[in-house]
Amino acid sequence: MVRGRISRLSVRDVRFPTSLGGHGADAMVSADAMVSADAMVSADAMVSADAMVSADAMVSADAMVSADAMVSADAMHTDPDYSAAYVVIETDAEDGIKGCGITFTLGKGTEVVVCAVNALAHHVLNKDLKDIVGDFRGFYRQLTSDGQLRWIGPEKGVVHLATAAVLNAVWDLWAKQEGKPVWKLLVDMDPRMLVSCIDFRYITDVLTEEDALEILQKGQIGKKEREKQMLAQGYPAYTTSCAWLGYSDDTLKQLCAQALKDGWTSQRSQFPRARLFLFHLSALLSLQATSFPHCSSALLPSDSRLCR
């Protein structure tokens, strides 16, 4: 049972130190930025129980690397210094549990996201957590429908990023008070309750609230067995550490081979050079379309058998 009134919301501008080697495998991450994995779940995620995966697979430490050699860069973002706006929410409950959430940035501009978080804080402070979780959709709409802030983008840009950090922290706080990781909170949630957390205003052309409820209700059949299977066998994941724009062919080949040896049978590449190495290594490859000017040129015909 959730409890407490939100008494404090703090936000920090966290910049990740860069890796001196520029390879990304041994990046130094600020201890202050090691947010609970439970917080890395979007409040708007509409996924089945099969897809409720740990945030450990969402943010790879391999990506926390230097921008100096275009390591961890793609064709659109050539000089990233991976950073975050880090939100902590506290309540007046005696348990002292805190909710942590981040939103991902590329360095410059993180301070702008921090300002946006502070501008949204009055929508969160002094609210009972019970009231928030009882009408999570209404809470989401309050954050995104501020009569003045929405002019600068509640569904995009800085306000969108700030809202995500706040919502992640609330999800984290909710789950911690229930004594569960976020994925388990969602899996155990009644389908009607889960659907009530989602704002369907912009997705009804693809998925209506009624359709979502039907999908979740059908998914109750065999859910426990699927959960046991996931806990026993794990879930599919891929690594992004092998094929950044700044790597030479030799480095690409070495990293792709090592990742496959370590058990990473799926790897994502920012550019097509890596497909040659991965094809010979029989690894599953995912190419990021943002690395190409047109989606139609993102894959060559020979790549289709690798990206399935």
Side-chain angles (χ1 to χ4, degrees), residues 275 285-287 292 294-304 307:
R275 69 173 181 261
L285 170 66
S286 170
L287 288 176
F292 301 86
H294 303 289
C295 290
S296 60
S297 64
L299 295 178
L300 299 178
S302 61
D303 294 318
S304 61
C307 303

Side-chain angles (χ1 to χ4, degrees), residues 69-117:
M70 293 185 72
V71 177
S72 296
D74 60 39
M76 302 300 294
H77 309 94
T78 57
D79 60 345
D81 284 318
Y82 290 165
S83 305
Y86 182 94
V87 172
V88 178
I89 291 177
E90 302 175 44
T91 74
D92 58 7
E94 294 182 357
D95 55 32
I97 293 175
K98 301 177 182 179
C100 304
I102 71 166
T103 195
F104 175 70
T105 62
L106 298 185
K108 288 182 294 186
T110 310
E111 70 279 3
V112 183
V113 179
V114 168
C115 288
V117 170

